[in-house]
Amino acid sequence: MAESPGPVPGGEPAVAARLDAIVRANDIRGRVPAELDEALARRLGEAFAAFFTEDDPRTAEVLVGRDMRLSGLNLSGAFCAGLQATGLDVVDLGLTSTDMLYFAAGHLDAPGVVFTASHNPAGYNGIKACRSGARPLSGERDLARVRQLALLPPLPPAAAPGGRRQLDLLETFARHVRSFTDAESMRPLRVVADVANGMGALVVPAVFEGLPPILEVLHGELDGSFPNHPPDPLQEANLADLCRRVDEAGADVGLAFDGDADRVFFVDDRGRPLSGSVTAALLAGAVLRRNPGALVLYNAACSRVVSEAVEEAGGRSLRTRVGHSLIKERMAETGAAFAGEHSGHYYFAENHCSDSGVLAAVALLEELSRAGMPLSELRRPFDRYAASGEVNFTVADPRAVTEALARRYRHHHQDRLDGLTVDCGDWWFNLRPSNTEPLLRLNLEAADAGDCARYLTELRAAIELSA
């Protein structure tokens, strides 16, 4: 969560407490209605209107979309009423994946928000936002400012309320994604996509229409109650249906999307999941063939294989903090062509430096077509290390636990780019507080599975002892 900027004159303590609970480092997210209800959504609409016009006085309209969560229609409606009360016009995008929102903000050069809680359970909802041109908002600065504005007394209604118009950008977005590929070079690969009853059910079939791959969709009904499994593909248990179906169908590749479809994970032809780091290494190689010598970003929790693969492909790499707003800012600052996160976010400079699950999926399928080999073979050179995956710990004092581990491993090289990273030579780990949940997240990598399991047991005991 972003650090609270403190009390604001006129602010209501109960509202301030709710805002503290839901304003996170990269977005706004909370339980409905306990933490986020229609009254607060309207207030946030007024606050975002003030923020966007403060940021750019030329702002005349704001894009608003929502995912399929059951609370989305009412919350986004209240938010739009707040925007309109200030005199700003609303462009209602309707059902929208998060990557569609970023595309719309870049395509129309207007700021926007989408109501979504990404991979969180059905009882949550929230807001992801961007400036015009799909430029990110910083949680530490910009979302903290939105929180301040939401606590100020309401301004008098505008003399004339803003208007509201509907805009369907699905096919425009699908054409945008397909423009990144050479469709004629793609093979008719058999693809199974588990969209987890999320927004991938809308965008993935639209993008694949007219492309050579043969698509089968699992859990393709838009249903914000998530009746089949949680929409979090980072958790391997949620990939079970996809792995089984890839094996049954003899498919070439499986795709697993999260609830708002800005993330994707892959399963190979043998039903084995790829880590986000291996996928980032594969996609970086494809980007570097089009952009020789380009810069690639990867976050502090990614495998060493990403930087190694970038160097082997003739590119340059730069390690960054975790989080989409931070990575987008760094891409704009450095001119990076691509960025990858272990959590399944993949960013492309030509996509307004934004992440897109379906764009990454199409890019990997084109790479698989070019290679002319099964994904199980294509991935092999990048499966160099054994990783723990992301292991979460609920602790009362994350800072105290982090410092205890820093002392325990004080004789090894450490950095504080994002949380604590300790390099022990043939193995390393990163321990950092979550940007979206009250957890400490551990990622560990070692030379082989035995060492990984042994060091994970050691770290787990150390964290539990320090908690």
Side-chain angles (χ1 to χ4, degrees):
M1 185 177 72
E3 183 177 350
S4 169
V8 175
E12 302 166 26
V15 174
R18 294 172 76 191
L19 288 167
D20 282 345
I22 67 175
V23 177
R24 311 289 183 90
N26 293 295
D27 59 23
I28 293 171
R29 203 177 302 187
R31 292 173 290 117
V32 178
E35 295 172 326
L36 177 61
D37 59 13
E38 291 173 39
L40 188 54
R42 180 185 173 106
R43 188 182 286 231
L44 284 166
E46 296 172 353
F48 270 98
F51 173 82
F52 286 136
T53 53
E54 189 176 81
D55 186 59
D56 183 354
R58 298 169 299 174
T59 299
E61 62 182 17
V62 177
L63 313 172
V64 180
R66 58 182 171 85
D67 71 11
M68 66 294 123
R69 289 173 183 270
L70 305 181
S71 57
L73 185 62
N74 290 341
L75 289 175
S76 63
F79 183 91
C80 289
L83 284 171
Q84 292 174 269
T86 71
L88 289 182
D89 293 334
V90 168
V91 179
D92 185 352
L93 302 176
L95 285 167
T96 307
S97 63
T98 293
D99 52 358
M100 275 182 66
L101 182 276
Y102 297 147
F103 163 74
H107 180 66
L108 301 173
D109 198 25
V113 307
V114 59
F115 273 78
T116 180
S118 185
H119 62 278
N120 282 70
Y124 284 74
N125 213 325
I127 296 169
K128 292 184 179 181
C130 63
R131 293 178 164 87
S132 59
R135 292 171 297 133
L137 271 66
S138 160
E140 296 172 353
R141 179 182 65 249
D142 300 326
L143 291 180
R145 178 58 179 157
V146 170
R147 174 195 175 277
Q148 287 181 323
L149 292 166
L151 285 169
L152 293 173
L155 295 172
R164 184 169 175 173
R165 65 185 175 95
Q166 308 286 325
L167 182 62
D168 182 355
L169 285 176
L170 177 59
E171 183 50 39
T172 307
F173 173 67
R175 287 197 302 270
H176 166 72
V177 175
R178 290 194 294 265
S179 74
F180 284 77
T181 72
D182 176 7
E184 293 183 358
S185 72
M186 296 181 75
R187 294 190 286 130
L189 300 166
R190 184 159 188 177
V191 179
V192 180
D194 184 348
V195 296
N197 301 104
M199 290 310 303
L202 183 70
V203 301
V204 175
V207 168
F208 274 72
E209 188 175 344
L211 291 178
I214 302 161
L215 178 68
E216 176 186 341
V217 176
L218 288 183
H219 310 319
E221 304 78 25
L222 288 168
D223 188 340
S225 69
F226 306 120
N228 292 290
H229 60 74
D232 184 2
L234 186 59
Q235 306 306 318
E236 198 161 321
N238 296 329
L239 300 177
D241 290 352
L242 179 60
C243 293
R244 182 167 51 250
R245 184 55 192 156
V246 165
D247 183 59
E248 291 172 350
D252 295 293
V253 62
L255 313 174
F257 292 86
D258 68 345
D260 60 336
D262 59 353
R263 289 193 296 156
V264 65
F265 278 81
F266 295 86
V267 170
D268 72 15
D269 50 292
R270 295 172 59 186
R272 300 177 306 161
L274 279 69
S275 72
S277 292
V278 167
T279 300
L282 280 166
L283 291 174
V287 169
L288 287 166
R289 264 192 296 279
R290 298 193 306 271
N291 304 274
L295 178 66
V296 170
L297 308 185
Y298 66 102
N299 73 26
C302 279
S303 166
R304 288 171 172 167
V305 74
V306 180
S307 60
E308 292 171 356
V310 168
E311 182 178 346
E312 290 160 9
R316 298 168 291 124
S317 64
L318 179 66
R319 188 163 157 265
T320 74
R321 292 170 61 192
V322 173
H324 73 91
S325 61
L326 297 162
I327 286 179
K328 290 169 185 173
E329 287 177 348
R330 291 294 281 154
M331 286 188 76
E333 291 168 3
T334 61
F338 174 74
E341 292 198 86
H342 75 296
S343 56
H345 289 278
Y346 308 105
Y347 308 76
F348 300 83
E350 301 97 328
N351 189 47
H352 311 291
C353 294
S354 292
D355 43 330
S356 171
V358 70
L359 177 51
V362 169
L364 190 131
L365 290 174
E366 185 173 22
E367 180 71 356
L368 191 56
S369 295
R370 184 202 65 81
M373 65 177 70
L375 184 54
S376 56
E377 294 294 323
L378 184 62
R379 68 180 290 179
R380 186 172 295 174
F382 304 100
D383 283 326
R384 304 176 185 179
Y385 305 105
S388 65
E390 195 159 81
V391 183
N392 295 319
F393 297 86
T394 302
V395 298
D397 190 342
R399 180 174 296 180
V401 173
T402 301
E403 295 309 317
L405 262 71
R407 290 191 297 272
R408 179 185 178 97
Y409 293 95
R410 62 188 178 276
H411 298 302
H412 299 282
H413 181 267
Q414 301 182 7
D415 73 61
R416 300 296 183 112
L417 174 68
D418 195 348
L420 171 69
T421 299
V422 178
D423 186 343
C424 300
D426 60 348
W427 70 285
W428 64 272
F429 70 88
N430 172 265
L431 185 69
R432 64 178 184 85
S434 168
N435 288 328
T436 58
E437 298 172 87
L439 300 169
L440 269 178
R441 301 197 189 280
L442 171 69
N443 283 272
L444 181 154
E445 184 172 74
D448 57 49
D451 281 352
C452 186
R454 179 161 56 89
Y455 293 132
L456 179 58
T457 299
E458 176 183 313
L459 281 171
R460 192 186 298 274
I463 290 169
E464 291 172 353
L465 182 65
S466 304

